[in-house]
Amino acid sequence: MDDQAKAILERALGDGRQEFGSFFLSRLFGMEVAYEGETCTVRFPADPPFFNPQGSLHGGVLATALDISMGHLLKKHFGAGATIEMKVQYFAAARGGTVACQSSFLKKGRRTFFLQSTARDDAGESIAHATSTWKLL
């Protein structure tokens, strides 16, 4: 295991907390969560250990970050929820730098919510977009 992979694993293990803002996957990917109004932005480095064999960020990592941005937004404003369904569209590959996933509400119900999140690269170009349906727990 190389030094970068070891450092990533140590960061992920961290203090073992499993809560919003700090849980194993968020630490593994080096995510930072920020809120502004009714948006949530999750930023993380597109690091080579998370690349696919084609040399770009694996789509599952990107989908996870999009999902986390939407789940954190729902939790902040209404409480914990579960993803009922999610659709991701990929537009371009991320081959390094920082990825920022910004989520917002599409429609708010009493127990069911519709959200979206867009992932952008360092240049501000959209690289993926997700829509999802959530239910409050």
Side-chain angles (χ1 to χ4, degrees):
M1 183 180 299
D2 68 16
D3 289 341
Q4 184 180 23
K6 286 179 186 175
I8 288 170
L9 188 54
E10 287 175 11
R11 176 184 68 204
L13 294 172
D15 59 13
R17 290 184 296 155
Q18 285 293 99
E19 57 192 38
F20 280 87
S22 182
F23 59 102
F24 182 83
L25 282 178
S26 67
R27 292 188 304 267
L28 179 69
F29 298 128
M31 294 178 175
E32 296 175 4
V33 179
Y35 303 94
E36 185 176 329
E38 288 200 344
T39 67
C40 175
T41 302
V42 170
R43 285 185 174 76
F44 66 100
D47 288 333
F50 303 113
F51 286 6
N52 58 34
Q54 291 83 15
S56 61
L57 186 66
H58 190 281
V61 174
L62 195 48
T64 298
L66 291 160
D67 185 61
I68 288 170
S69 72
M70 293 182 282
H72 276 57
L73 181 62
L74 182 66
K75 166 74 165 123
K76 179 169 178 60
H77 291 280
F78 295 96
T83 311
I84 297 172
E85 63 82 30
M86 185 169 106
K87 176 186 177 186
V88 180
Q89 294 175 290
Y90 299 96
F91 308 132
R95 299 189 187 280
T98 301
V99 174
C101 300
Q102 185 175 54
S103 62
S104 61
F105 291 101
L106 289 169
K107 183 170 176 49
K108 302 171 199 170
R110 288 183 309 205
R111 306 255 340 132
T112 305
F113 295 80
F114 302 88
L115 291 97
Q116 66 180 344
S117 185
T118 300
R120 298 184 186 282
D121 63 15
D122 283 334
E125 294 296 319
S126 179
I127 58 174
H129 183 80
T131 56
S132 63
T133 307
W134 290 73
K135 72 173 185 174
L136 287 181
L137 296 178

